[in-house]
Amino acid sequence: MGEREEDDKEAWLQLRPVEPLPSQCCGAGCSPCVFDLYQRDLARWEAARASKDRSLLGGKESQSCPSKLSPETFLAFRISAVDKLTKDTYRVRFALPRNSQLGLRPGQHLILRGIIDDLEIQRAYTPISPANAEGYFEVLIKCYQTGLMSRYVESWRAGDTAFWRGPFGGFFYKPNQYGELLMLAAGTGLAPMVPILHSITDNADDETFITLVGCFKTFEGIYLKAFLQEQARFWNVRIFFVLSQEALPSSARLMLASGRQDLFSNFSLSRTPLFIIFPMLWRILIPNCMY
C-alpha cells in the first residue's frame, strides 16, 4: 500500500507545472503573462491532485492551424512564406484556415514561443498585415547575431510550424478620434504603425492626418518601401525619413517625389487633438496633446 502511494505521489509530481524561466517572459507587460499562466496551471494542478481527478488538468496546445487566437494557450500556425528583406530582417507569412481573419485590432500584438538548446524563449511581435486580411497574417522580424530567438527564426522554412498566443495590447485605434497621429518609428519599430496606417487609409470616412517619421541607418535599410510609397500618396499621409549613416541618395529622390515622403525637413504639426505613437510607449503627455 505504501509503495502504491509513493508511485501515485511521483506520478502527480511529474504532472506539476514547471515554473517559467525569466527568458520565457517577453517583457512586454502582457496579460496574462507567462507567470500568470503558471499560477493558473499550478492552482489547477493542486485542485486536481487534492480531488485525485486528472481530468481537471488542462490539455496541450493545438497542433493544427486554429481559426481563433487564445491569449492563454499557444496555437500552431503554418509558415507559408519567408521573405528576406535585408541581410538580417525577414517578412514571414503564416496561413489561416478557410480564409479566416486573425482577429487583431490595430495596435495589438502577439507572443511567439521558440525553443533553442532546450531553452524556451518568448518575444512580442506586431503583425504588419491589415486587420481584415483573410487567410494569412504577416510579421516583420529582425534577427541579431547573438539573439536566441533570432537563431530560431533563421531556421524557419515554408511549411514549418510556429506557436503564437494573443492578442495583447491596450491601445485601440478608433477612426477620427484624433486630428493627427504622429508616428515615430526606428527600424522594425515600424511594424506597429503599419496596421494603423492600413486601417486609416482603407477607411474613406477616416479623416485623421498621419505623420510618420521613420528612422533608419541607410536608405537601402528602409523596410517596406513600396508600401510606404503607396501610403504617402494619400492626401492625409506624410512620411519623413531620418538616416543616421548617410545622406539621402540622389537615386532615391525620384521615388520620394512620387509621394509625400522626404527627409526630416519642412516638418510641422498643426491639427489637434494630437496623439503621439512610438513602440513600447504609446502615450506621451505634451502641451495641447490628448492621450
Side-chain angles (χ1 to χ4, degrees), residues 2-172:
E3 187 174 337
R4 283 187 181 180
E5 290 179 355
E6 285 298 319
D7 290 344
D8 187 61
K9 180 180 179 180
E10 181 63 26
W12 276 105
L13 289 177
Q14 291 178 1
L15 294 172
R16 190 181 194 275
V18 178
E19 184 173 0
L21 298 172
S23 64
Q24 293 175 258
C25 177
C26 69
C30 305
S31 180
C33 173
V34 63
F35 290 102
D36 297 330
L37 298 179
Y38 165 70
Q39 292 297 332
R40 180 206 64 184
D41 292 342
L42 182 61
R44 182 181 295 165
W45 175 82
E46 289 174 343
R49 185 184 182 187
S51 61
K52 298 183 179 180
D53 183 359
R54 298 191 184 189
S55 67
L56 298 178
L57 296 175
K60 300 293 184 180
E61 63 263 23
S62 170
Q63 296 294 322
S64 60
C65 291
S67 57
K68 289 189 177 181
L69 285 165
S70 168
E72 298 184 355
T73 305
F74 283 100
L75 302 175
F77 293 89
R78 181 177 60 83
I79 298 171
S80 58
V82 179
D83 183 16
K84 191 171 186 178
L85 301 182
T86 68
K87 64 180 181 179
D88 57 10
T89 305
Y90 300 84
R91 178 171 56 195
V92 186
R93 175 170 290 202
F94 294 85
L96 296 174
R98 300 179 296 280
N99 288 328
S100 60
Q101 296 182 0
L102 189 59
L104 263 68
R105 298 173 63 179
Q108 291 187 303
H109 64 274
L110 303 175
I111 300 297
L112 171 67
R113 185 188 70 182
I115 298 178
I116 290 291
D117 298 333
D118 296 325
L119 178 66
E120 181 176 313
I121 48 179
Q122 299 183 25
R123 298 289 184 270
Y125 296 99
T126 303
I128 60 172
S129 44
N132 60 354
E134 296 182 347
Y136 76 95
F137 71 94
E138 293 181 329
V139 292
L140 183 69
I141 301 179
K142 181 175 181 178
C143 294
Y144 298 87
Q145 189 171 7
T146 59
L148 290 175
M149 185 62 82
S150 298
R151 288 171 54 192
Y152 175 60
V153 170
E154 288 179 328
S155 71
W156 283 351
R157 300 294 183 269
D160 290 348
T161 297
F163 288 86
W164 297 87
R165 67 181 177 97
F168 300 101
F171 173 82
F172 302 119

Side-chain angles (χ1 to χ4, degrees), residues 274-287:
L274 170 68
F275 193 81
I276 299 179
I277 305 175
F278 63 94
M280 303 306 295
L281 187 59
W282 292 98
R283 291 170 287 189
I284 304 175
L285 181 60
I286 62 174

Side-chain angles (χ1 to χ4, degrees), residues 180-186 190 197 210-216 219 222 228 232 237-243 248 256 259-269:
E180 183 166 1
L181 295 180
L182 171 59
M183 299 177 169
L184 308 177
L190 177 67
L197 274 167
I210 307 166
T211 297
L212 170 63
V213 180
C215 305
F216 300 89
F219 181 77
I222 296 175
L228 295 176
V237 177
R238 296 186 303 168
I239 296 179
F240 295 88
F241 293 134
V242 178
L243 306 181
L248 185 67
L256 296 181
R260 302 178 68 197
Q261 306 172 90
D262 202 348
L263 287 176
F264 198 72
S265 60
N266 301 319
F267 180 80
S268 64
L269 298 168

